[in-house]
Amino acid sequence: MRPWLTPKPDPEFQAKCAEICTVYRDAVTTAADAPTRTVSIDEMTGVQALEKIAPSLPLKPGLVEREEFEYRRHGTQTLIASFNVATGQVHGTVGDRRTEQDFARFLDGLLASASSDVHWHIVCDNLDVHLSESVVRLVARHGGLEEDLGVKGKVGILQSRASREVFLRDPGHRIVFHFTPKHASWLNQIEIWFSILVRKVIRRGNFVSTEDLRVKIEGFIAYFNRTLAKPFRWTYTGKPLTV
């Protein structure tokens, strides 16, 4: 099978890619000297709480592990999480939805977890909730910015998605966002951690309710932070790949 819809390339791909790779490269140094926190943020939506109808049969000599294909659905949950690029620590919340208010609440708690003199580099994708009015107002409040933000859809910083992005990417602010190019979520380090969560917890998990799913995800985050957390070895430099 071959896809027939080719996405339009992001005209700022190289610049955004190089910017994010530089932020990753400098994360450990700036964490010690500035101090600065560099975090990668994203969401896992629609995580299914699936309960197996019958227990799996364990591995035996001459037999692979066998798993029943039938399951019960108990609904879904959404994980909003951040990955600290310098330390590998993960902070996450699990809930029913991922709305503008949900993301703003998560971001508010994250920014409040550090003192007011800490600088932030936040890497995330171009989802609308990451460029919302609520996020702009949060950044202005936590960053001590008292300028007039305008009115959404009419005038000023809040006027449009583009004007909000310019504000959030402003390198002169204490809290600076770095947005991945379109169709380049592989640049977001939290995606690597999400793949770890899927392999360790979700793919082979058995969840009797959404509450059970939430508890097990939160339990794994705590376990990961205690025993496994470390920075990813990021080798890509942002330069064009050649053959």
Side-chain angles (χ1 to χ4, degrees):
M1 183 179 71
R2 183 177 180 180
W4 61 275
L5 287 177
T6 303
K8 294 180 181 179
D10 189 326
E12 294 186 79
F13 178 87
Q14 296 300 339
K16 290 180 178 179
C17 185
E19 176 185 317
I20 289 172
C21 288
T22 299
V23 167
Y24 288 161
R25 182 197 65 201
D26 296 341
V28 174
T29 302
T30 57
D33 296 342
T36 299
R37 289 193 185 182
T38 303
V39 296
S40 167
I41 299 178
D42 204 4
E43 305 87 22
M44 281 185 71
T45 59
V47 183
Q48 297 190 76
L50 301 180
E51 180 186 6
K52 297 174 183 177
I53 298 296
S56 299
L57 299 178
L59 183 72
K60 291 183 178 180
L63 289 175
V64 299
E65 181 184 17
R66 287 161 291 170
E67 185 173 282
E68 176 57 59
F69 68 90
E70 289 189 301
Y71 53 81
R72 296 186 184 92
R73 296 178 185 270
H74 294 291
T76 62
Q77 292 283 272
T78 291
L79 167 64
I80 307 176
S82 68
F83 179 84
N84 188 313
V85 176
T87 67
Q89 294 284 308
V90 175
H91 173 68
T93 60
V94 183
D96 296 328
R97 296 171 300 278
R98 179 209 47 198
T99 64
E100 175 180 332
Q101 291 71 31
D102 293 322
F103 180 75
R105 191 179 305 113
F106 172 83
L107 183 62
D108 190 24
L110 185 67
L111 295 175
S113 68
S115 60
S116 59
D117 62 335
V118 171
H119 288 250
W120 291 83
H121 288 290
I122 298 174
V123 178
C124 59
D125 62 25
N126 297 273
L127 195 69
D128 285 344
V129 296
H130 301 158
L131 291 149
S132 69
E133 176 183 1
S134 299
V135 170
V136 169
R137 292 192 181 280
L138 267 176
V139 168
R141 176 164 60 83
H142 281 278
L145 303 172
E146 299 180 354
E147 58 190 294
D148 183 12
L149 299 177
V151 180
K152 184 178 179 181
K154 294 183 178 181
V155 67
I157 293 167
L158 294 175
Q159 180 178 11
S160 66
R161 192 178 190 273
S163 62
R164 295 192 293 272
E165 180 176 348
V166 170
F167 173 84
L168 293 172
R169 292 177 64 181
D170 189 333
H173 293 168
R174 186 173 69 85
I175 303 163
V176 184
F177 278 68
H178 306 271
F179 295 101
T180 60
K182 293 179 181 177
H183 312 294
S185 60
W186 53 272
L187 279 170
N188 204 343
Q189 287 197 6
I190 189 66
E191 298 290 350
I192 302 174
W193 187 83
F194 283 161
S195 71
I196 295 172
L197 175 68
V198 169
R199 294 194 304 271
K200 298 292 187 181
V201 179
I202 297 173
R203 182 178 296 162
R204 296 163 62 86
N206 184 44
F207 311 105
V208 299
S209 65
T210 53
E211 173 68 13
D212 183 33
L213 173 62
R214 182 186 66 78
V215 168
K216 286 176 179 174
I217 291 175
E218 292 175 345
F220 179 74
I221 291 174
Y223 170 79
F224 181 89
N225 287 337
R226 287 195 311 271
T227 63
L228 300 172
K230 63 180 180 179
F232 293 133
R233 185 170 176 266
W234 188 263
T235 58
Y236 184 49
T237 61
K239 295 180 180 179
L241 300 175
T242 57
V243 294

